[in-house]
Amino acid sequence: MSDPPLPSNPSRILRRAGNLLSSNGQVVKELQVDNGGDPSSSLPPITKTSLGASIMRKLQGFKDRSRQIVRSRSLNGAASSALDQIDDADAIGQRKGLSRSLTDVIVVRPTIPPHSVSAPVTKTKRHSAQPRMLSSVSEGVPVDHVSSPVQETAEESSSSPAVGDIRVPQLLQQGTPMTKVSMKKHKKFVYRLDADLGQIVWESHRHKIIPIENIKEIRSGEDARYYREQFQLSQDYQDRWLTIIYLLDGNYKTHHLIAATKDVFRMWDKTLRELHAVRQELMRGLGNGEMRQALWEKHYWKGADEERDQKLTFDEIEKLCRRLNINSNREDLFRLFQQADSQKRNFLEFDDFRRFVKLLKGRPEIHRLYKKLQSGNDGIFDFGVFEKFMRDKQKSTLSQIELLAIFVKYTTRNESQPNCAQPDATIECVPVMTVDAFTLFLLSPDNCAFSDQHSSSTWQDMSRPLSEYFISSSHNTYLVGHQLVGVSTIEGYIRALLHSCRSVELDIYDGDQEPMIFHGKTFTSKVSLREVCQAIIKYGFVASPYPIIISAEVHCSLPQQDMIAEIMTAVFGDSLVRMPADGMAKIDVLPSPEELKRKILLKAKNLLLLRVKSMDGEGSGYYTEPSSSASDSDAFFEMMQEPSTGKKKAKRSQSDTTVKEQIMKARTTMLQRVRSVGKSSSSAPPPLLSPPVVLSQSPPSISIMSPTTTTGYKPSAPTPHRSSDAERPKPRMSAALISLLVYTVGVKCRGINKKEEYAPEHIFSLSENVANKMLRFGMWDLIKHTKTHVVRIYPKGLRLNSTNYEPHRFWAAGSQLVAINWQTFDLGYMINHAMFQRNGRSGYVLKPPAIRLAQKDLLAKRTAQTFDVTIISAQQLPKPRDASGLEVADKAIVDPYVEVTLYIPDWPAYPESKLKEKAKEVVTHVNGGSSTPLTTAPAPSSTPGRAVSCRTSVVKKNGFNPVWEEKLRIPFDCVGDMMDLIFVRFVVKQEDRDTEEPLAVYCASLGSLQHGYRHLPLHDSQLSQYLFSTLFVRINITPVAVS
């Protein structure tokens, strides 16, 4: 099938999709000739002689007649701010670069044979016969949705260098013109693929790159249809459309490209996916040392070869070492240079450069350890030395046969020592491990710090009820930014689901045609329910097959409630759990994740269950479970409606003042947005206070009646702007929607005591503030309740910047669905990420026995211990980069130090019996012979969580191979042997730059860290693993003897 013809009229640069409606209901027509809106029409005459300049001269006439793509509004009249904010900002206001119209793109039919585009399988001396068999043992971030590369055989070509077995076509190395599309405009650039540096490169008003390891997802064709439709562009471009989603400077960005031909598109799509897959696999932890080293050598060889003559002089080597922040004097470097220059030619070719790198990357600290270990065995490092090292230092529990199999992988035969112990005669014994082999072992997956060896599949028992698992959960999943003025988009769901999130949130309101999702009573944009459901079913089971729980807040009328059920049933199909037509028997215990594989469960409030008697017994009222959206909105409007003048009843804290300032700023920003939208559209923006059908109450507060009364949770009194109970309309709920509530039925928290009974399928939600109070006074009750019931925790409404709490505090009380804001890469996100790296990254982690079984004897067991860690050295710390991903030259000098912090959760303080005894203590006051008992407030039922830190000294001017060899000791206490709920974070920082982002981080639970000498793979602040940076440590946990 030939490529679709390009438009003959040069003014129609990109064709609109047919039969699309504008915001006023008119059919969108082709772009008309209009110079007025094109900023490029004012470009000065081009007089330069570069390739870009010649293209610009050739197309100047067309530029004068072109215009940018007209903005359009989305399905329900919502402004297209989502794509404006998500799209790469560099598309705005560009004036220079290799730019030309799509109408003038030459149809390139490459003369290279088809097989040159595919990935050949090559065999080299540096790589094994199966170089693509990358290690499955993982410690880092999961591989996102990337299709597996297709391997084919091809002839080698010197003009197409290979990375592993992937060959990059010469055409992509030289560059191909492609159209960069954004909501505001489209423009031509020449894009090239640099496999050695691992970058997509193009020139606009400045040099720009997309690091391949920063790419989170590659979408093409049908997968990228969402964006093409949002841009209202013709389907003719779909088979040449490429969308790249990547992280840069802590922000998600999208880059939309249209290739000139299908052949060029296929070339880019295939090669980029293969290169990305290789780097993503290397970013899954340690291992693949040879390929990792080859990438490093190619990367820095190309960067150092300024003359592009395939030779490095000593001056170029010296510049490279300064760039790598190597703290060596000129004489030492010249000595290494001469050792590598074996032919004494005063320059290094690539093989010489590899020898130089090996000398440069020497590990004296490992050499000292190696000599110490072999000194007790006549200087021979045989299997006996290795086994003793693994037992004594590494605390290995592997059998002797398993240890011997590992030993054989890293050893070579020593002819002078042919006889060595062979526990199993069927295994050939290789007696000697060299220092290089020992170094390779210490850096390999066989010695990884992360104990979850079953990273490619789940290994925990998945047949237990849902209530016995921690479940990876998201709060306001549709937002990718601020809670009040952020963007609602399906991207939030895709990102979370591809990282194994198993519980996402929907806030559903009436739309013009179909239900819409947005943050109620705020200025956030909207996204349609149907689009979100399509994203969930498409991406929901890519990373994990285990069930997805949709936590929905429904604020719709009855007709649109029916529409919700209709949309979910149509989109999810058999994956959606529904009530059988003939009804269901009583549920005695929740089903297991194994039984619900590839199923989607809807959790929403069943309003028919929420009619309860009022507290005073007079009449009845309607109570809804606390809703995250409602609570956020309530906090927002209480702040907004508070008069700015007048006497206040109480002092406002500094934090509240700051929050109010943020709200006022957000309101100003949004009013400007509304005014600008009003100018371009006759449709009015949605009213600020569009009342939902069901009004949610404020998060309940804890009310302690007396020490002898079980702690209860009562709804707070209604605020003045709410309807009273008597005026509250009778709640109505669609029968079709109720039929979707089976194992996850939302109810109001009426307290946790013997008088209140909840069915196993009943789930209530607690705000962060309420959950904190419950941790303090009712932690034991919550642990017992979550043994058989699921509880959801969500952030408080005043976290306007989408910050996170520390989720391990609520996991320690048994809460399963501890929802966080996935768009914010802070400490809470890091702890959540570390927890759900376990169990094959399935999104489900079995609770520790102490809280899973709610056993008092285990929960009463408290031990004092110390975390002993020796920070030995770091390897190739990353250099600071600017917002565009380029290294910052004036910040290349690094003075690093390491900070280690333990995060200990709230622990239950007493067994329940002792807690009640303390609560019943009385103080007797004698008055005229009579005594009056006075009750006291109940004692706390938990000890608060805490963080304990310790740090090393600073190594001056060395970010390449700094050595500390410093011992740190951090005391902590642990209840019920729940090491899984204590988290440790290693942070590499720069001296005097504490306010900046750290150089690198690593976070894991103590229960998943192995003891002994380990290399920790370092990550950036967004938890993307660096390809070459590691931290070498020795880890141990020591019990403290009780005197």
Side-chain angles (χ1 to χ4, degrees), residues 245-299:
I245 300 171
Y246 62 103
L247 264 174
L248 205 58
D249 194 33
N251 298 310
Y252 272 91
K253 295 179 179 291
T254 57
H255 206 80
H256 309 287
L257 298 172
I258 301 178
T261 69
K262 292 180 184 178
D263 289 336
V264 172
F265 162 77
R266 283 191 289 265
M267 205 180 299
W268 269 98
D269 187 54
K270 176 180 175 54
T271 309
L272 185 57
R273 287 181 186 274
E274 291 176 335
L275 291 175
H276 179 242
V278 168
R279 290 185 176 255
Q280 286 295 299
E281 187 66 29
L282 293 176
M283 292 166 64
R284 290 170 62 100
L286 302 177
N288 302 292
E290 290 187 351
M291 181 176 287
R292 197 182 301 271
Q293 179 67 15
L295 283 176
W296 192 94
E297 292 167 352
K298 280 287 187 180
H299 181 97

Side-chain angles (χ1 to χ4, degrees), residues 848-888:
I851 54 176
R852 178 160 54 91
L853 306 176
Q855 292 183 348
K856 294 181 181 179
D857 55 342
L858 287 177
L859 291 171
K861 177 185 176 183
R862 183 183 294 259
T863 57
Q865 311 196 46
T866 60
F867 179 66
D868 299 317
V869 57
T870 302
I871 307 298
I872 302 174
S873 63
Q875 292 73 48
Q876 294 126 62
L877 293 175
K879 275 72 66 182
R881 296 179 180 270
D882 60 17
S884 62
L886 300 173
E887 292 181 7
V888 181

